[in-house]
C-alpha cells in the first residue's frame, strides 16, 4: 500500500509540474480527488484491511489527499497571477503611443450660478451673511407673516403652486426673512439666494426661477441706506456709470416700498424692445421693513428699523449677457451654456 501511494504521488508530481492551464488542473483534480479518483479507490481498498493496520494506512491516505489538495491550490494561485500579468492593462506590449489621448473636457459653472456667486460676493463685501431657507413653505411663512392678507393677488391660485393643505412652493425668498428674524436677534444683515416657484411660463417667466433676498435690521436704518446699498450693488454688477432710479411701489411687507430700475443696458437709455421704449428696466423690489412684520417676529418696532430687497437672478443675468429668452437657462443646450 505504501508503494501504491508513492507511485500515485510521483505520478501526481510529474503531472502537476507540466500543467499550465486551468482546464488540465481541473482534470487533475478529477483524477485524484474525484468520486472515481485514486484517493477514493485507496479508501475503498482500506475496507479490506485488518483493523489493527487500518489506522496507520488511513492516515497515510489522508496525508496524501491533503498533499494533493494543497498542491492544486498553490498551482491555481500561480496560474491566476500569471493570467493577470498577461492581461493588456498591465502589459506594455499593448501600449500604443500613437493613439490619440483621452481629453478631459472641463465643464463650466451654469450662468445662473456664476451670477449668484457674483451677487453674493458683492453683498458679502458689504457685511451681509448668506442664509438659506426651505423651498416648501407653509402659508404662514410665504404669506401671513409677511403681512400678505388672504385676498391679496399674490395668493391667487394662478401664481402659487399649492402642494398640500397648508404647504406651498415658496413664491419668493421673502419667507427667509421671517425664519432668520425668528432665530436671531437684531442687528443683522443677510442675503438669501434660492429657487422660487410661480405658475408662469413664457419668454420672460419659468415656473422655477431664482431670487436673492436681502435684509438689514439695525438702529436708525433709513431709506438713504436702502438707496445707497442698491446703488453700490447695481453699479458693481452693471458698471460704475449705471443710472439707478427708484419708483414708488407696493409690497405688504415693506413700507414705503419701491421698484428699482436701471437705465436700459441694451440701448443705453435710448429706448428699445427690451425696455419697451422707456429707456429704463425694472430690476428689483425693495422697501423699509413694515413694522407689522417686526411685530410678528417679536422685534421692537420702536427700536429697530430695516431695509429689505428681492431680486430675480435670471433677470439680472439676461440683462448682463443680453439674453432674450429666460427658457434658454434651463434647456441645457451646450451651445448656449458653453458661452459662459
Ligand atoms: N418678494 C418680492 C417679490 O418677489 C420682492 C421684495 C423683497 C420686495 C423684499 C420688497 C422687499 O416680488
Amino acid at each position: 500500500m505504501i508503494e501504491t501511494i508513492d507511485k500515485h504521488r510521483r505520478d501526481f508530481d510529474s503531472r502537476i509540474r507540466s500543467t499550465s492551464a486551468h482546464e488540465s488542473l481541473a482534470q487533475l483534480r478529477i483524477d485524484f480527488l474525484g468520486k472515481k479518483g485514486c484517493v477514493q479507490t485507496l479508501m475503498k481498498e482500506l475496507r479490506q484491511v485488518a483493523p489493527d493496520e487500518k489506522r496507520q494506512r488511513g492516515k497515510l491516505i489522508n496525508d496524501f489527499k491533503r498533499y494533493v489538495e494543497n498542491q492544486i491550490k498553490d498551482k491555481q494561485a500561480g496560474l491566476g497571477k500569471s493570467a493577470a500579468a498577461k492581461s493588456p492593462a498591465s502589459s506594455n506590449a499593448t501600449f500604443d503611443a500613437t493613439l490619440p489621448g483621452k481629453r478631459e473636457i472641463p465643464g463650466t459653472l451654469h450662468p445662473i450660478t456664476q451670477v449668484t456667486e457674483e451677487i453674493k460676493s458683492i453683498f458679502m463685501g458689504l457685511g451681509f451673511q448668506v442664509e438659506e431657507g426651505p423651498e416648501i413653505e407653509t402659508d404662514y411663512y410665504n404669506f401671513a407673516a409677511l403681512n400678505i392678507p388672504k385676498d391679496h393677488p399674490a395668493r391667487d391660485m394662478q401664481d402659487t403652486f399649492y402642494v398640500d393643505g397648508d404647504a406651498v412652493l415658496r413664491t419668493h425668498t421673502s419667507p427667509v426673512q421671517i425664519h432668520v428674524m425668528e432665530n436671531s436677534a437684531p442687528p443683522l444683515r443677510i442675503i438669501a439666494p434660492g429657487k422660487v416657484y410661480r405658475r408662469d411660463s413664457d419668454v420672460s417667466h419659468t415656473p422655477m426661477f431664482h431670487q436673492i433676498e436681502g435684509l438689514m435690521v439695525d438702529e436708525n436704518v433709513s431709506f438713504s441706506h436702502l438707496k445707497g446699498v442698491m446703488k453700490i450693488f447695481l453699479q458693481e454688477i452693471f458698471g460704475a456709470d449705471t443710472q439707478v432710479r427708484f419708483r414708488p411701489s407696493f409690497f405688504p411687507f415693506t413700507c414705503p416700498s419701491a421698484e428699482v430700475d436701471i437705465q436700459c443696458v441694451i440701448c443705453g437709455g435710448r429706448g428699445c424692445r427690451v425696455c419697451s421704449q422707456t429707456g429704463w428696466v425694472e430690476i428689483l423690489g425693495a422697501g423699509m421693513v413694515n413694522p407689522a412684520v417686526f411685530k410678528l417676529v417679536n422685534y421692537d418696532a420702536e427700536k429697530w428699523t430695516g431695509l429689505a430687497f428681492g431680486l430675480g437672478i435670471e433677470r439680472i443675468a439676461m440683462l448682463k449677457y443680453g439674453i432674450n429668452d429666460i427658457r434658454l437657462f434651463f434647456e441645457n443646450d451646450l451651445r448656449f451654456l458653453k458661452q459662459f
Side-chain angles (χ1 to χ4, degrees), residues 171-172 174 177 198 211 213 251 253-254 285-287 308-310:
T171 56
H172 51 179
S174 299
Q177 287 189 33
R198 292 182 196 179
Q211 283 192 336
E213 192 76 10
F251 297 103
F253 38 96
T254 49
F309 54 89

Side-chain angles (χ1 to χ4, degrees), residues 1 40-51 54 61:
M1 177 125 194
Q40 283 305 316
T41 315
L42 289 167
M43 287 299 210
K44 264 178 221 145
E45 284 166 16
L46 196 61
R47 281 182 215 143
Q48 277 112 53
V49 170
K54 238 185 193 154
I61 299 170

Side-chain angles (χ1 to χ4, degrees), residues 293-314:
V293 174
F294 279 156
K295 264 187 213 110
L296 286 167
V297 295
N298 291 320
Y299 274 21
D300 182 354
E302 295 295 322
K303 184 172 179 201
W304 306 104
T305 48
L307 61 86
F309 54 89
L311 51 92
I313 300 175
E314 282 79 0

Side-chain angles (χ1 to χ4, degrees), residues 40-312:
Q40 283 305 316
T41 315
L42 289 167
M43 287 299 210
K44 264 178 221 145
E45 284 166 16
L46 196 61
R47 281 182 215 143
Q48 277 112 53
V49 170
D52 50 333
E53 274 185 55
K54 238 185 193 154
R55 254 181 79 101
Q56 200 213 352
R57 291 195 183 192
K59 194 182 169 300
L60 285 173
I61 299 170
N62 267 331
D63 287 348
F64 177 59
K65 187 182 170 204
R66 216 162 299 131
Y67 172 79
V68 169
E69 280 170 351
N70 287 337
Q71 289 289 311
I72 289 180
K73 214 198 280 160
D74 288 353
K75 186 81 185 186
Q76 201 160 31
L79 286 179
K81 257 189 229 130
S82 57
K86 274 192 203 131
S87 80
S90 59
S91 164
N92 279 336
T94 55
F95 177 72
D96 183 351
T98 64
L99 280 174
K102 279 190 190 143
R103 197 152 48 107
E104 294 282 337
I105 303 170
T108 52
L109 291 177
H110 190 278
I112 294 302
T113 308
Q114 289 186 34
V115 173
T116 307
E117 290 304 315
E118 188 178 345
I119 298 172
K120 270 160 69 176
S121 78
I122 294 170
F123 282 108
M124 277 149 77
L126 294 169
F128 285 74
Q129 272 180 15
V130 181
E131 292 283 348
E132 270 179 37
E135 286 170 31
I136 301 173
E137 279 292 6
T138 56
D139 181 280
Y140 179 76
Y141 286 99
N142 198 74
F143 299 124
L146 290 160
N147 198 32
I148 303 176
K150 276 270 179 230
D151 52 2
H152 193 276
R155 289 193 167 205
D156 198 300
M157 287 292 280
Q158 285 173 17
D159 295 326
T160 308
F161 288 107
Y162 286 87
V163 179
D164 184 19
D166 202 32
V168 299
L169 295 184
R170 67 178 178 190
T171 56
H172 51 179
T173 42
S174 299
V176 186
Q177 287 189 33
I178 307 300
H179 290 295
V180 168
M181 289 193 282
E182 278 182 350
N183 293 323
S184 45
L188 54 85
R189 259 183 257 187
I190 61 104
I191 53 165
K195 293 182 169 67
V196 300
Y197 303 84
R198 292 182 196 179
R199 220 184 134 264
D200 247 344
S201 187
D202 58 42
V203 280
S204 52
H205 299 86
T206 42
M208 183 283 300
F209 61 105
H210 298 78
Q211 283 192 336
I212 292 195
E213 192 76 10
L215 173 70
M216 171 173 166
V217 183
D218 208 330
E219 285 174 275
N220 302 316
V221 174
S222 71
F223 203 86
S224 332
H225 291 111
L226 178 62
K227 288 186 82 172
V229 170
M230 293 297 93
K231 200 170 163 189
I232 290 169
F233 161 66
L234 291 168
Q235 292 186 338
E236 282 272 341
I237 278 272
F238 291 109
D241 48 5
T242 304
Q243 296 297 307
V244 178
R245 169 174 100 165
F246 279 67
R247 273 181 299 118
S249 185
F250 173 79
F251 297 103
F253 38 96
T254 49
C255 189
S257 302
E259 215 85 59
V260 184
D261 299 343
I262 56 167
Q263 200 161 56
C264 182
V265 287
I266 308 291
C267 63
R270 282 183 300 277
C272 66
R273 219 173 51 90
V274 172
C275 60
S276 315
Q277 312 302 330
T278 64
W280 296 89
V281 284
E282 184 191 315
I283 200 92
L284 55 87
M288 302 307 292
V289 179
N290 193 324
V293 174
F294 279 156
K295 264 187 213 110
L296 286 167
V297 295
N298 291 320
Y299 274 21
D300 182 354
E302 295 295 322
K303 184 172 179 201
W304 306 104
T305 48
L307 61 86
F309 54 89
L311 51 92

